[in-house]
Amino acid sequence: MIKNPKLAKPIADASWGEFTRQLEYKAKWAGRVYIEIDRFLPSSKRCHCCGFVSESMLLDVCSWICLECERKHDRDVNAACNIKAAGLAVLAFGD
Ligand SMILES: [Zn+2]
């Protein structure tokens, strides 16, 4: 995302590395598991129901309909489902 000119400055301003470091620290402190997933996972473009991956999706798209299973997805909720599934897969099977 840092290569995206529209997102680069906000992400750099938020100090993404510091954010993830704090998240890992807080997770350990609370007795939770911290897992990093593949940064190139198409979390918002992959349908969490059937696995279909949309070829392209503009950043201003907030909801979309899967061309395969025809379900309507909220982009953020769909991404959260995919990220959770990826984290659970790393827990179960490793990297
Ligand atoms: Zn689908």
Side-chain angles (χ1 to χ4, degrees):
M1 286 192 281
I2 202 83
K3 289 181 180 176
N4 183 317
K6 290 183 178 176
L7 295 177
K9 184 165 178 6
I11 289 171
D13 287 349
S15 301
W16 196 259
E18 177 61 15
F19 172 72
T20 57
R21 190 193 70 76
Q22 287 282 332
L23 200 56
E24 185 174 12
Y25 164 76
K26 294 286 186 182
K28 284 182 182 173
W29 181 72
R32 304 291 180 157
V33 178
Y34 173 82
I35 297 170
E36 287 191 9
I37 60 169
D38 181 3
R39 67 170 55 192
F40 298 109
L41 177 79
S43 58
S44 60
K45 296 192 301 185
R46 175 179 289 159
C47 172
H48 77 271
C49 299
C50 71
F52 175 79
V53 178
S54 177
E55 287 295 319
S56 64
M57 188 178 297
L58 297 176
L59 287 172
D60 61 350
V61 174
C62 295
S63 64
W64 57 282
I65 296 174
C66 176
L67 296 177
E68 196 71 25
C69 68
E70 299 180 349
R71 291 194 184 185
K72 185 176 181 182
H73 296 293
D74 177 283
R75 184 182 186 138
D76 293 339
V77 172
N78 182 63
C81 291
N82 283 325
I83 290 168
K84 179 181 178 185
L88 290 174
V90 170
L91 258 183
F93 306 111
D95 292 334

